[in-house]
Each structure stands twice: as structure tokens, then as C-alpha cells.
């Protein structure tokens, strides 16, 4: 039995999801004639009380289009040093939008309103123009941490006072909503644009959505075209997204419970120096300096367990809908009964 905890993106569509995909009413989405894409977009726009939404092939593209919407070349974006847009989007911010990132030294991927205030460049011709603040919730490199919504509100006030846009990379916003009992409406109320992924914890094979007001989003569709993101009969994929929203959101709490369980067991291992607090479905832990990370990973692989390295002797496990109860029991067994300290 292969236990794949590398990411929540490794899930495969369930039989019922595939069935829903086969039933999709499709058309050419470039002519905006795909009924299922239109349905998904209007549903998600409504969820966030935004005027418009657009379906994307990836979270990266949705974020990159958002950066382009809010900035001009030479501008600066304020984000955390752990931000996905900075670390894991192949330098797209500079490649696509010609912007630099002012990286804040946050806590587990999260910063505060004062840090934002201090990071805004003064208005002088020799500074780059600060035009956007970007927040990630939950934080990926920060170990699935959830933001304090009160802090987000304070950051919004700073944005309003300084005429800055506010974008949310909500690839795993669903996890935060379930864990903190928050709503899409409260996020829609604060952010100018929000990207959400359907292909992570929610189990769709493909798809992200960007929401915003009409003016921004009419530009977003043009930029999506420039980035090569137009799709044709994408309704088959949108149907998976609709199914995921119908059936796969509340169950995320099960992934969180399992991740917390793994975190607890990891704290008991001699080879583990520290486990970061587990809030949602991501577990990041650090091995003691003398432990060889590759040997640790190989040892897990011998038991058909796959996880990934985050660098600096830190490793990551991510729980998801294809990580079954049986696999979870087996993981407890493997972690508790393997002699890792020989490595
Ligand atoms: C926080 C965050 N944002 C954006 C993305 C990009 O999503 P995609 O892989 O669909 O491009 C990811 C992917 O893991 C992510 O973790």
C-alpha cells in the first residue's frame, strides 16, 4: 500500500466525481458558451459576494494574473518571505509583471499590519511604487497556518489608507474556513481579489478560480488569454469543481484531525527536533542536525511512504482525501515501530 503524503494535490477524482464530470454540459468557453464553467464561475462569485469569477487551469496562473491586475512594471508587492508567489511560482512575479517583492519576516508565513505599514515605500521618484499586499491563507511553507482575521482587517485598513490592492492566495482557504469556522463572505468583503484552488484538498483534478469586481475581472480575462490560459470545453473540469464544492468541503476537518495525529506521533520520535504547530492538513517537522534527511526519507520509502523535503532538514507531510483511515493506522504503526535513530 503506497502512502503518498507529498501533497494534497496527489488525489485522483472519485467515481462519483468522474460521473459528475461526464454529465457536464459543455461549450466553447472562449465564446463564454460553456454552461458548466459559467455555473461554477457564478456560484463562486456569489459565495464571495463578488461581481465576477474566472476559471483557471492552475492556482499559479490565477495568482499571476492577479499580480498583473494590481501592478505596473517596476512596482513592488508586499508579501511574506514564505509566500508561494515568491518561492514557488518560478519567478513569475518579475517575469510576468516586472514587479519586485518586499518580503516581510513573518511568523509561519503570516505578518501584521505594522509590518505592512513600515514596508510601504515613501512617495519619491527613486523608490519603486508599492501597489499590492498579498496574503496566503492557509500558508503552505508556514505549515498550513491560519491567519487571525482581525489582523487581516487591520491590514485592509492600511491598504485603504495607502491606496494598495489586497490579494489573497487562497489555494487552501477552504481548510482555513473549516478549521476556523469562517465564511467566504467575510473574505470577499475584505480582499480585492481572491484565488482559490479546487485541485488541492477538494480533490478536483484541475482548476482554480479568481474572484473580484467587474472592472478588475474584465481585465483578468484579457490577461488570462495573454498567459495562454483560455480553455475550450472546460466544463468537464468545472463539473469536478462543482462536485467538490458540493461534497468535499466539510470533510477537510477529517484531514486536519489526521494531520494533528501525525504531528503528535512525530513529537515522540528521537530523530525529530521540532514539529511546527499543526492547524490544518500540513505537518512540517524538523530533524535533528545530525540526522541525515535523505536516509530518513529512504527509510520511509522502504515502507512505501512518500513525503517531501522543505529544505534545512525540514520535512512536510500533507493529509488529503485519498489518505484513508487504514493508511493512517499504518502510518502510526510505521512511525512508532521503525528504528529511525540508527540513521
Ligand atoms: C499556497 C499555494 N498557492 C498557489 C499554489 C499553486 O497552485 P497550482 O499548483 O495549481 O499552480 C499552490 C500549490 O501548491 C499553493 O500551495
Amino acid at each position: 500500500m503506497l502512502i503518498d503524503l507529498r501533497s494534497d494535490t496527489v488525489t485522483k477524482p472519485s467515481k462519483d466525481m468522474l460521473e459528475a464530470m461526464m454529465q457536464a454540459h459543455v461549450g466553447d468557453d472562449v465564446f463564454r458558451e460553456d454552461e458548466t464553467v459559467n455555473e461554477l464561475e457564478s456560484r463562486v462569485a456569489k459565495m464571495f459576494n463578488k461581481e465576477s469569477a474566472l476559471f483557471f487551469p492552475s492556482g499559479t496562473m490565477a495568482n499571476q494574473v492577479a499580480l498583473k491586475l494590481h501592478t505596473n512594471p517596476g512596482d513592488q508587492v508586499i508579501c511574506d518571505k514564505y509566500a508561494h508567489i515568491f518561492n514557488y511560482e518560478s519567478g513569475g512575479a518579475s517575469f510576468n509583471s516586472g514587479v519586485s517583492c518586499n518580503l516581510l519576516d513573518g511568523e509561519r508565513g503570516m505578518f501584521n499590519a505594522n509590518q505592512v505599514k513600515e514596508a510601504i515605500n515613501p512617495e519619491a521618484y527613486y523608490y519603486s511604487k508599492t501597489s499590492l499586499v498579498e496574503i496566503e491563507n492557509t500558508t503552505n511553507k508556514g505549515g498550513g497556518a491560519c491567519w487571525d482575521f482581525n489582523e487581516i482587517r487591520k491590514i485592509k485598513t492600511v491598504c485603504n489608507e495607502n491606496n494598495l490592492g489586497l490579494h489573497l492566495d487562497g489555494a487552501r482557504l477552504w481548510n482555513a474556513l473549516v478549521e476556523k469556522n469562517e465564511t467566504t463572505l467575510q473574505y470577499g468583503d475584505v480582499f480585492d481579489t481572491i484565488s482559490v484552488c479546487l485541485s488541492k484538498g477538494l480533490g478536483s483534478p484541475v482548476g482554480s478560480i479568481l474572484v473580484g469586481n467587474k472592472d478588475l475581472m474584465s481585465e483578468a480575462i484579457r490577461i488570462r488569454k495573454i498567459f495562454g490560459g483560455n480553455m475550450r470545453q472546460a466544463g468537464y473540469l468545472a463539473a469536478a469543481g462543482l462536485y467538490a464544492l458540493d461534497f468535499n468541503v466539510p470533510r477537510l476537518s477529517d484531514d486536519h484531525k489526521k494531520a494533528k495525529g501525525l504531528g503528535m506521533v512525530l513529537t515522540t520520535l528521537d530523530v525529530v527536533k521540532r514539529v511546527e504547530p499543526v492547524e490544518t492538513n500540513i505537518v512540517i517537522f524538523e530533524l535533528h542536525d545530525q540526522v541525515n534527511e535523505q536516509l530518513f526519507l529512504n527509510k520511509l520509502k522502504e515502507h512505501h511512504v512518500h513525503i517531501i523535503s522543505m529544505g534545512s532538514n525540514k520535512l512536510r507531510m500533507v493529509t488529503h482525501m485519498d489518505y484513508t483511515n487504514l493508511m493512517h493506522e499504518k502510518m502510526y504503526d510505521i512511525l512508532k515501530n521503525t528504528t529511525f535513530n540508527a540513521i
Side-chain angles (χ1 to χ4, degrees):
M1 173 165 58
L2 174 72
I3 302 179
D4 195 344
L5 292 170
R6 288 171 303 162
S7 175
D8 47 8
T9 55
V10 300
T11 57
K12 294 181 183 153
S14 65
K15 206 163 158 278
D16 288 347
M17 182 181 274
L18 284 170
E19 189 60 37
M21 292 167 74
M22 295 303 286
Q23 303 300 323
H25 294 272
V26 300
D28 190 336
D29 182 50
V30 173
F31 291 111
R32 309 301 280 146
E33 286 171 1
D34 189 301
E35 280 179 41
T36 316
V37 170
N38 292 343
E39 184 187 338
L40 176 66
E41 288 178 349
S42 66
R43 174 161 168 191
V44 177
K46 242 183 236 142
M47 287 171 81
F48 287 94
N49 193 26
K50 288 294 192 197
E51 288 169 342
S52 186
L54 199 57
F55 189 44
F56 281 84
S58 72
T60 300
M61 194 188 281
N63 280 336
Q64 289 297 319
V65 167
L67 294 183
K68 187 80 188 141
L69 285 178
H70 291 286
T71 62
N72 288 308
D75 286 1
Q76 196 158 83
V77 176
I78 295 174
C79 62
D80 191 87
K81 64 181 186 297
Y82 280 0
H84 194 277
I85 57 157
F86 176 74
N87 289 286
Y88 303 121
E89 298 190 6
S90 314
S94 52
F95 188 91
N96 296 315
S97 298
V99 295
S100 57
C101 293
N102 189 339
L103 301 179
L104 301 185
D105 188 17
E107 219 15 77
R108 303 177 67 220
M110 300 174 293
F111 44 86
N112 61 45
N114 281 336
Q115 285 175 287
V116 173
K117 227 185 248 175
E118 281 166 19
I120 299 168
N121 279 335
E123 276 196 33
Y125 71 88
Y126 42 83
Y127 285 117
S128 65
K129 184 172 179 282
T130 307
S131 47
L132 177 69
V133 176
E134 192 263 1
I135 281 176
E136 187 176 309
N137 198 15
T138 68
T139 63
N140 178 346
K141 202 172 161 65
C146 302
W147 277 74
D148 171 359
F149 196 75
N150 288 326
E151 200 58 44
I152 293 179
R153 275 198 206 287
K154 287 184 198 162
I155 291 171
K156 176 63 175 174
T157 305
V158 175
C159 290
N160 286 346
E161 287 165 357
N162 293 276
N163 206 18
L164 308 180
L166 185 59
H167 172 66
L168 173 66
D169 175 353
R172 294 186 181 80
L173 181 64
W174 314 110
N175 297 80
L177 298 180
V178 166
E179 189 60 28
K180 304 259 294 190
N181 220 0
E182 294 172 336
T183 67
T184 44
L185 289 178
Q186 73 188 81
Y187 279 84
D189 187 39
V190 165
F191 286 91
D192 298 306
T193 48
I194 299 174
S195 64
V196 287
C197 286
L198 303 160
S199 60
K200 309 228 154 47
L202 299 200
S204 284
V206 174
S208 290
I209 306 263
L210 183 71
V211 298
N213 71 22
K214 253 195 196 126
D215 286 351
L216 277 173
M217 296 307 290
S218 61
E219 187 62 8
I221 194 166
R222 202 176 68 84
I223 300 167
R224 185 185 69 171
K225 168 68 179 167
I226 294 170
F227 286 4
N230 272 9
M231 297 182 281
R232 301 291 176 171
Q233 287 71 30
Y236 293 113
L237 301 173
L242 286 165
Y243 179 92
L245 290 174
D246 282 337
F247 298 105
N248 292 347
V249 180
R251 64 149 306 285
L252 290 171
S253 58
D254 185 47
D255 298 345
H256 301 176
K257 208 165 125 198
K258 287 189 176 113
K260 287 171 190 173
L262 290 173
M264 298 265 276
V265 179
L266 284 166
T267 53
T268 67
L269 303 188
D270 289 345
V271 288
V272 172
K273 186 172 168 185
R274 203 170 62 90
V275 181
E276 293 190 1
V278 184
E279 288 185 59
T280 53
N281 68 330
I282 301 179
V283 186
I284 292 183
F285 61 102
E286 192 178 345
L287 299 173
H288 280 294
D289 298 344
Q290 67 274 22
V291 180
N292 183 307
E293 179 186 298
Q294 197 51 52
L295 292 179
F296 181 84
L297 289 171
N298 290 346
K299 196 90 174 169
L300 284 178
K301 266 192 200 149
E302 283 171 21
H303 294 280
H304 311 287
V305 175
H306 291 226
I307 68 171
I308 61 165
S309 164
M310 300 293 279
S312 321
N313 244 18
K314 280 188 182 176
L315 300 165
R316 189 187 80 170
M317 294 180 179
V318 188
T319 56
H320 50 76
M321 62 189 302
D322 288 359
Y323 175 61
T324 61
N325 291 339
L326 191 66
M327 290 177 188
H328 192 50
E329 279 169 31
K330 180 106 178 114
M331 267 309 280
Y332 275 9
D333 191 40
I334 293 167
L335 290 175
K336 283 179 180 163
N337 298 315
T338 304
T339 28
F340 290 111
N341 48 4
I343 54 182

